[in-house]
Amino acid sequence: MKIHKKISRYNSSERNGEKIKYIVIHYVGAVSSAKNNCIYFGGGDRQASAHYFVDDKIWQCIKVSKAAWHCGGGLQDYGRASVGGNKGATLHYICTNRNSIGIELCCEKSGGEIVPTKEAIQTAAPLVRHLMKKYGIPAERVVRHFDVTGKCCPNGYISKKSWKKLHDYLTEGTGE
Ligand SMILES: [Zn+2]
């Protein structure tokens, strides 16, 4: 697995000794490449970032030893509402920037919706499993932005059923 790197000195903070416990899956919410996202979110004063951006390649923007800014802040979108057979923000203030790794899936427009591409999902799966192994993160702690703040992220995988399929694929290489 090749990881391209353009490590930013901006848009991150210290983990303050917190152990990495979660991997948070996102979608970038626009149609653009992993490289371009990595360059953009590596720029000064973006107020947001993630460790990895993935299309058919993996681009790393923030060192894993630092906290990227991908799942912090208050409730968003659905908040704690029940949607598609599951409830949002069950991990609010439990999974945080300081104790997680953020992975952003690049997107395409499909049926009028911006959703992660197949290539991004396929490329992210070995990265997720590599990070699970390296940091001792069990599959149940591979979560969505939706689980942290209630945000509609990753779009297309908010229902319990669709997420289970993606989660199984990312963590076990089955499904999807
Ligand atoms: Zn997100």
Side-chain angles (χ1 to χ4, degrees):
M1 184 178 53
K2 165 101 178 131
I3 299 178
H4 301 269
K5 294 188 184 187
K6 185 164 172 49
I7 302 295
S8 174
R9 50 198 181 94
Y10 305 113
N11 315 318
S12 65
S13 30
E14 299 303 321
R15 290 193 182 274
N16 285 10
E18 288 202 38
K19 197 170 175 283
I20 297 166
K21 288 164 115 175
Y22 293 92
I23 294 170
V24 182
I25 305 298
H26 301 261
Y27 84 130
V28 298
V31 179
S32 52
S33 72
K35 184 179 181 180
N36 284 347
N37 274 286
C38 186
I39 291 167
Y40 177 81
F41 286 102
D45 200 27
R46 299 300 189 205
Q47 311 293 326
S49 63
H51 293 95
Y52 300 97
F53 295 90
V54 181
D55 50 19
D56 61 336
K57 297 187 176 66
I58 301 167
W59 278 85
Q60 184 176 1
C61 181
I62 304 292
K63 277 187 190 168
V64 174
S65 60
K66 296 264 198 168
W69 299 341
H70 58 95
C71 70
L75 298 176
Q76 296 169 283
D77 297 344
Y78 301 114
R80 292 202 175 85
S82 270
V83 40
N86 58 184
K87 203 167 173 285
T90 54
L91 297 171
H92 197 222
Y93 296 144
I94 297 168
C95 170
T96 64
N97 285 333
R98 279 188 187 162
N99 68 16
S100 66
I101 295 171
I103 300 178
E104 293 271 359
L105 303 173
C106 288
C107 298
E108 63 186 352
K109 201 164 187 186
S110 172
E113 296 264 319
I114 306 272
V115 292
T117 66
K118 275 254 169 338
E119 290 75 18
I121 290 167
Q122 283 166 359
T123 309
L127 174 65
V128 168
R129 293 200 288 274
H130 162 77
L131 294 169
M132 287 170 69
K133 200 172 170 191
K134 186 164 179 184
Y135 296 100
I137 299 168
E140 61 265 29
R141 283 197 248 123
V142 177
V143 303
R144 298 163 292 184
H145 198 178
F146 171 76
D147 298 306
V148 184
T149 68
K151 188 175 177 183
C152 181
C153 175
N155 189 37
Y157 297 95
I158 299 304
S159 77
K160 188 177 178 181
K161 194 178 165 193
S162 60
W163 171 236
K164 186 187 183 313
K165 201 173 157 200
L166 177 60
H167 184 268
D168 287 353
Y169 178 73
L170 292 175
T171 60
E172 300 166 17
T174 57
E176 190 75 20

